[in-house]
Amino acid sequence: MFKHAQLLAFVAVVLASLASSAPGLGAECLDVKIPDSVKTGGNDLVLNGLGIRKATFLNVKVYVAGLYLPQKSGDAGKIIGSNKPWQLVLRFVRDVDASDIRDAWEEGFKKNAADKLAALQPRIETLKARMADFKEGQYLSFTDDPAKGIAVDVNGASGAAIEGADFANALLSIWLGREPPNEDLKSGLLGGKCG
């Protein structure tokens, strides 16, 4: 009986060890599963939060966004001004035309970049030129490496990084700034409820 108990204890320890070393399953919102961490450019980033982008007065759900940071934070100002790596992943839950995405970037930068808009405009145009039509289930990600700039990944296709801390801060301000597309998107990315 004693050996049987020892064997069960050993199996329990091994299973607990495997469970703690396995990558986390992450979070889920609108049936979109997002990993709880990513590794990018040698940096380990953790999921800070998930939010839903809603459009029009009908609150049409467009994408689920996941924000990854070196460590969790609920302070938008500190996140934007930190000059640390981050990644924002947008998983589309409906089809969206490239022209609608371009218009959204233009509006987001105008609302949140204020007096820096003129200096940012050439890089905003570079970003807009990389946009494509998105189908439900596809993704768009932005990865900020402060030493290199913003890497833009459109369903696995990426180009040269868009340089400048000013651009990185303005881009992230679209979601975390004073006028996000919708407040619950910002709240979710800062660790609140995805909804």
Side-chain angles (χ1 to χ4, degrees):
M1 186 72 156
F2 182 69
K3 289 188 183 234
H4 184 23
Q6 283 180 320
L7 179 61
L8 286 175
F10 173 75
V11 169
V13 167
V14 168
L15 290 175
S17 172
L18 288 173
S20 67
S21 65
L25 299 176
E28 185 175 330
C29 183
L30 295 180
D31 295 326
V32 175
K33 292 175 179 59
I34 305 283
D36 65 353
S37 63
V38 295
K39 187 170 186 85
T40 178
N43 297 298
D44 293 317
L45 304 177
V46 296
L47 182 63
N48 197 65
L50 297 174
I52 301 170
R53 168 64 161 105
K54 298 173 186 168
T56 77
F57 68 94
L58 297 172
N59 286 323
V60 175
K61 294 173 177 108
V62 179
Y63 57 74
V64 173
L67 176 62
Y68 293 91
L69 303 171
Q71 62 188 35
K72 290 187 177 221
S73 173
D75 187 328
K78 285 185 180 177
I79 294 169
I80 293 167
S82 73
N83 200 32
K84 292 185 179 176
W86 54 265
Q87 184 176 75
L88 184 71
V89 179
L90 314 179
R91 294 268 176 198
F92 289 85
V93 296
R94 66 177 300 108
D95 295 354
V96 180
D97 292 337
S99 63
D100 291 335
I101 295 288
R102 290 183 192 109
D103 291 347
W105 297 149
E106 195 69 40
E107 179 181 349
F109 280 109
K110 280 181 184 172
K111 286 182 175 180
N112 292 287
D115 59 338
K116 299 176 182 91
L117 193 58
L120 295 169
Q121 199 61 49
R123 291 172 284 170
I124 293 169
E125 294 304 320
T126 298
L127 172 65
K128 289 168 44 179
R130 294 185 185 175
M131 293 303 103
D133 292 339
F134 289 92
K135 301 292 182 197
E136 181 179 343
Q138 293 184 323
Y139 75 93
L140 170 62
S141 72
F142 304 99
T143 304
D144 181 36
D145 177 339
K148 297 177 183 173
I150 298 285
V152 180
D153 182 341
V154 179
N155 293 310
S158 58
I162 302 174
E163 296 179 355
D166 59 339
F167 182 79
N169 293 346
L171 180 65
L172 193 54
S173 292
I174 290 173
W175 294 273
L176 300 183
R178 65 186 183 281
E179 289 189 59
N182 45 285
E183 279 296 328
D184 47 349
L185 170 58
K186 178 179 176 176
S187 173
L189 292 174
L190 293 174
K193 183 181 174 207
C194 183

